[in-house]
Amino acid sequence: MIGDSDKKYRIEAVDGAIDMIFAISHQPGLGVTEIANATGMTKSRTFRLLKTLTNRGIVSPNETSGYRLGTSSLLIGACAMAQVDLINVATPALAALSAKANETTILRLREGRKCICVAKHEPARELRVHAVIGRRRSFLVGSGNIVPAFLSTQERENLVSDLSLPQVQKDQLLQKLVAIKIAGYSVSIGEVNSELVGIAAPVFSADGAVAAAISIAAPAHRTHASNIDAFIPLVVTTAHQVSQRLGWQGAQRSLSR
C-alpha cells in the first residue's frame, strides 16, 4: 500500500505495470480485456503496457490466448529466492555472532552502487549501534567496501574509473580495495561516522561470486585494537559458514594482520 507521504513519488505507468504482473502471476492466461478489468485500466493502455513488458521478457503471450509470465520474470524470481535464502541462512548466524561479540551484526547486499541493510541483530545492551533495515549507503565506504573489493579485477577497475574523483583518489581507492581482498576482511574506523567501527567479511554464493557482507558494528569509544583483533576471526568464520550453507565450496583463508 502506498502511504500519503509516498504518493508524490508514484509513477502511474510503473504502478499499472506492476498491477498487471501480479494479475498475470495469479491467473495465467488472462487476455487484454480481462487484464484491463482486473487492473482498472483502459484496453488501449493495457495493450501498450503489455507490449512493453513483452519486449522486456517480463510477460509472454500464450500460443493459444492470453498472457503468462516471461523468462525475465523467472530470472527475477530466482534472484529473489537467492536473496531470501541468504537472509534465512544469515539471520541465525548474525544472532550467534552478535552473542559472541556483544555488538550489532549486519548483513548488507549490493544494490547498484549502494549497499542495503537487509538483516541485523542487536545485543541487549543499552549503548549499541542501531542498524536500520532498508537503509542504503555507498558501498565504497565502511563495510560496504567488501562487495567491490571481491569483484573481478576488471569490474573493480571499471567501477572506480567511472567515479567523479581525481585520479590520485581513484588509485588510492583501488589500492584499498585490493588490500581488503588480499586480507579477506575490512576494518573501517570512522569512515561512516567518527563514532563507528566496522569489521566485515564477504559472503559468497555457490558460484563463487560475492553475494553480501557480514559485519560487526560497534561504538568507537569502546572498540580498541584488542577488540578488533578478536572480532576479525569471528566475522570471517561466520561469513564463511554462511557461504558454505549457500553452496560455496571454497576454503576459509588463514588470517594475518
Side-chain angles (χ1 to χ4, degrees):
M1 179 179 291
I2 299 175
D4 291 339
S5 61
D6 294 326
K7 286 182 179 178
K8 63 180 179 180
Y9 300 112
R10 178 177 179 268
I11 299 175
E12 188 175 352
V14 176
D15 211 34
I18 293 172
D19 284 342
M20 290 171 53
I21 293 168
F22 279 124
I24 294 169
S25 67
H26 291 313
Q27 194 173 349
L30 292 177
V32 175
T33 300
E34 295 166 311
I35 295 171
N37 291 337
T39 59
M41 291 186 287
T42 65
K43 287 181 64 175
S44 61
R45 184 179 183 84
T46 299
F47 182 77
R48 291 196 303 272
L49 287 176
L50 282 170
K51 281 294 185 182
T52 301
L53 293 173
T54 299
N55 290 339
R56 298 303 299 269
I58 302 297
V59 302
S60 176
N62 285 330
E63 293 182 0
T64 53
S65 63
Y67 287 82
R68 58 178 172 79
L69 295 180
T71 54
S72 293
S73 293
L74 292 175
L75 175 60
I76 294 171
C79 292
M81 284 300 297
Q83 292 185 13
V84 170
D85 285 346
L86 172 58
I87 294 171
N88 288 339
V89 168
T91 296
L94 291 176
L97 177 60
S98 179
K100 293 174 182 176
N102 201 21
E103 298 289 0
T104 297
T105 54
I106 302 169
L107 177 72
R108 287 191 172 89
L109 297 180
R110 178 182 178 180
E111 187 181 70
R113 292 192 177 182
K114 294 183 179 295
C115 60
I116 179 171
C117 174
V118 295
K120 65 171 183 175
H121 193 279
E122 297 178 5
R125 60 192 305 180
E126 186 173 345
L127 182 60
R128 63 187 184 272
V129 174
H130 179 55
V132 180
I133 300 296
R135 176 172 288 174
R136 295 167 174 82
R137 70 181 188 210
S138 170
F139 66 9
L140 293 174
V141 296
S143 61
N145 282 165
I146 285 294
V147 174
F150 284 86
L151 296 175
S152 70
T153 300
Q154 191 61 59
E155 287 179 298
R156 189 167 57 244
E157 291 179 351
N158 290 343
L159 173 69
V160 174
S161 68
D162 289 340
L163 299 174
S164 300
L165 294 173
Q167 188 59 47
V168 64
Q169 292 185 26
K170 291 182 180 181
D171 293 341
Q172 291 171 347
L173 179 56
L174 275 175
Q175 291 172 7
K176 174 186 175 183
L177 295 177
V178 170
I180 290 172
K181 185 172 185 178
I182 293 171
Y185 60 86
S186 71
V187 176
S188 62
I189 302 174
E191 286 188 22
V192 177
N193 66 63
S194 61
E195 300 177 353
L196 180 64
V197 173
I199 302 93
V203 173
F204 298 103
S205 57
D207 61 1
V210 59
I214 282 181
S215 65
I216 293 175
H221 76 271
R222 68 169 178 236
T223 309
H224 309 293
S226 59
N227 301 113
I228 293 174
D229 287 340
F231 290 160
I232 288 170
L234 293 178
V235 173
V236 170
T237 298
T238 299
H240 178 71
Q241 291 170 345
V242 172
S243 300
Q244 286 186 314
R245 291 169 190 152
L246 294 174
W248 186 60
Q249 299 298 313
Q252 183 172 339
R253 294 159 53 177
S254 58
L255 298 176
S256 61
R257 291 200 68 197

